[in-house]
Amino acid sequence: MLKTKPDPRVIFLLVMTFSTFGLLIREDVVAMAGLFVIVLVFAGLLGVQLRRIFGRIKRLMQILLLVTLLRSFFTPSGIVLFAIADVPILTTGGIAMGVLVALRLIIFIIGAAMLTVYPARALIQAMVQMKMPYEMAYMVSIGLRFVPQFAQEMQDSLIALQLRGVEIKKLKLRKRLSLYSYLLLPTLVSSLQQAKELAMSMEMRGFRALPSRTSYFSLSIKAKDYAMMVWVLALATAISFTIFNNNFYEIIMTTIYTA
Amino acid sequence: MGDFVVTIKDLTFKYTDRYRRSSFELVVENFAASGCTAVMGENGSGKTTLGKLVAGILRPTFGQIFYNDMDIAGLTLAQIGGQVGYLFQEPSRQIFAPKPLEEIAMPLELRGVCPEEARAKALEILEKFELSHIVDSVTFTLSRGEKQRLAIAAAMVMQPKYFVLDEPTTGLDKARRQILADTLKKLQAEGMGILLISHDMDFVELMGADVRQMKGGILC
Ligand SMILES: Nc1ncnc2c1ncn2[C@@H]1O[C@H](COP(=O)(O)OP(=O)(O)O)[C@@H](O)[C@H]1O
Ligand SMILES: [Mg+2]
């Protein structure tokens, strides 16, 4: 783990770069796995508690399975491992695709988690210093701050509803959908009330009284941070050359020819 | 009337919530409650946790909880609702519908009762809990006391024989507290057992409850 954390802006850059790669890699499982390892290393260095994240994303296994089966069935590729009367059910290509999609999702989740190692105040300041209007920066961070609370409230409502004798698992789909609209209501009401109060107290402290806002707390990029940024970009370039080797060449050549 | 007894045997509960990394542990060696029992103790001593365990919302890490002689480990929340009612510390969490009538009729309909019957039942319950005057109000703008009474009324549709109330007097003035006490005493007279979680000494005395103390996760 790093002794001093880099400037949050460096991590913004890093997360954006790697997430973009996660989106761009479409077929190549090996490349995705490589990217995954790189992201893991960075997350580990930053002190992201990876074990907690992995504990939580067990549910992704379902997606992995679904993608695997769909891919095997509709666009069979690779070796057929299992088939029913010539209809491929499981192929190596399908498995590869399932793994790829799962890895992509995990990369996004870890990317988001890398930002949460910073206090909210530092993240707001980073966004403001990246020229985002401060109103928006605050909106983003306030939104994130309420997510766990709303989750808890919905959980409580779900329990209360079950205690009224409703067996949720036994309901028909149509009824279940109407039930979810009921569950949203208490949370919606409480969030509107809280938003009103929050808005009032922010107003009282002069939020948006002036178009710009100075801050006592400010982030400064140090030589180390620049070094890390350059390093991330160099790594990104290297990755693009290895992954998109052929395409890259084509793209560059066509650009040159048309010009 | 056969009293409804909640029994707890050698119970240990630990929060397994990985995120908050709580080291909190609740221990109850022996607990048998019927009639009206009050659990008192400081904030964070584990009163809410105990209440949720009794209502089956949290499940024990070790040990057992019985309603009369039935181990509740195998019961679903919906089944528990027919035996034990629960009032959240924050009653707005258990109010779903914009109208009090719908609030009570909706779960009935979800359970397959026909709409007319559910409506009639809801009106009857609202009448019983002296909420008839708010039938046409919007639930979210009700006062705290009224929300509480509505939440209790809604749980009573299930005809539970025991009720867990988590700090029901918070935010109520003296008159509202009296109204709540009257409501609860009426239910008690009908044979309802009550677990009252509170640090409101006056209210506990008003209800004439047996008092148990909770200290740092241990029920004395
Ligand atoms: N969901 C949870 N996850 C982890 N710890 C919790 C959770 N809920 C409560 N706790 C902890 O358990 C302890 C007891 O909480 P609680 O039962 O709510 O106390 P009380 O109701 O007596 O104020 C507290 O220290 C609290 O921080
Ligand atoms: Mg409590």
Side-chain angles (χ1 to χ4, degrees), chain B residues 7 22 31 49 61 99 104 106 116 132 136 138 163-164 174 181 201 208 214-215:
Chain B
T7 321
S22 153
F31 178 77
T49 310
T61 317
K99 294 283 179 184
I104 295 179
M106 172 264 296
E116 293 81 39
S132 304
D136 291 319
V138 176
F163 219 104
V164 180
K174 215 168 173 193
M201 200 64 219
M214 193 81 176
K215 274 203 193 97

Side-chain angles (χ1 to χ4, degrees), chain B:
Chain B
M1 80 205 153
D3 264 356
F4 187 84
V5 190
V6 173
T7 321
I8 302 180
K9 280 201 185 114
D10 299 319
L11 176 140
T12 310
F13 175 81
K14 282 188 200 127
Y15 277 107
T16 47
D17 192 343
R18 264 171 289 220
Y19 303 95
R20 291 202 222 166
R21 303 233 149 175
S22 153
S23 56
F24 182 78
E25 191 179 89
L26 184 95
V27 179
V28 180
E29 270 185 8
N30 245 314
F31 178 77
S34 62
C36 185
T37 316
V39 173
M40 307 185 70
E42 292 168 8
N43 284 338
S45 60
K47 303 185 297 298
T48 298
T49 310
L50 178 69
K52 285 187 171 173
L53 281 162
V54 168
I57 297 170
L58 297 172
R59 303 296 174 136
T61 317
F62 302 109
Q64 291 154 302
I65 298 174
F66 298 89
Y67 295 163
N68 289 334
D69 287 327
M70 195 200 314
D71 189 337
I72 70 163
L75 299 183
T76 64
L77 278 176
Q79 289 166 334
I80 284 177
Q83 311 232 29
V84 172
Y86 185 83
L87 180 73
F88 276 86
Q89 207 162 342
E90 191 45 67
S92 354
R93 302 263 173 102
Q94 53 195 122
I95 289 178
F96 308 98
K99 294 283 179 184
L101 194 67
E102 193 187 349
E103 179 66 36
I104 295 179
M106 172 264 296
L108 286 171
E109 284 177 36
L110 281 174
R111 280 158 56 202
V113 177
C114 79
E116 293 81 39
E117 205 176 313
R119 211 187 126 83
K121 179 90 188 159
L123 279 172
E124 182 195 318
I125 293 265
L126 286 175
E127 171 97 47
K128 184 180 168 198
F129 283 86
E130 291 163 38
L131 288 165
S132 304
H133 62 289
I134 58 154
V135 165
D136 291 319
S137 324
V138 176
T139 45
F140 307 120
T141 56
L142 294 179
S143 76
R144 198 186 164 89
E146 286 165 338
K147 273 186 193 166
Q148 237 175 25
R149 216 142 20 110
L150 181 62
I152 295 176
M156 289 310 294
V157 175
M158 297 292 294
Q159 299 177 317
K161 293 150 208 95
Y162 200 81
F163 219 104
V164 180
L165 301 116
D166 196 354
E167 314 226 3
T169 57
T170 321
L172 296 189
D173 62 24
K174 215 168 173 193
R176 298 310 111 107
R177 265 195 294 176
Q178 189 60 51
I179 294 175
L180 179 67
D182 291 343
T183 309
L184 293 180
K185 277 191 176 152
K186 209 157 84 183
L187 292 175
Q188 213 182 354
E190 292 167 16
M192 167 89 69
I194 292 173
L195 183 65
L196 182 63
I197 292 166
S198 179
H199 42 223
D200 182 344
M201 200 64 219
D202 294 341
F203 190 74
V204 170
E205 268 171 21
L206 197 62
M207 288 298 301
D210 305 330
V211 179
R212 298 287 296 257
Q213 289 288 339
M214 193 81 176
K215 274 203 193 97
I218 295 169
L219 188 70
C220 313

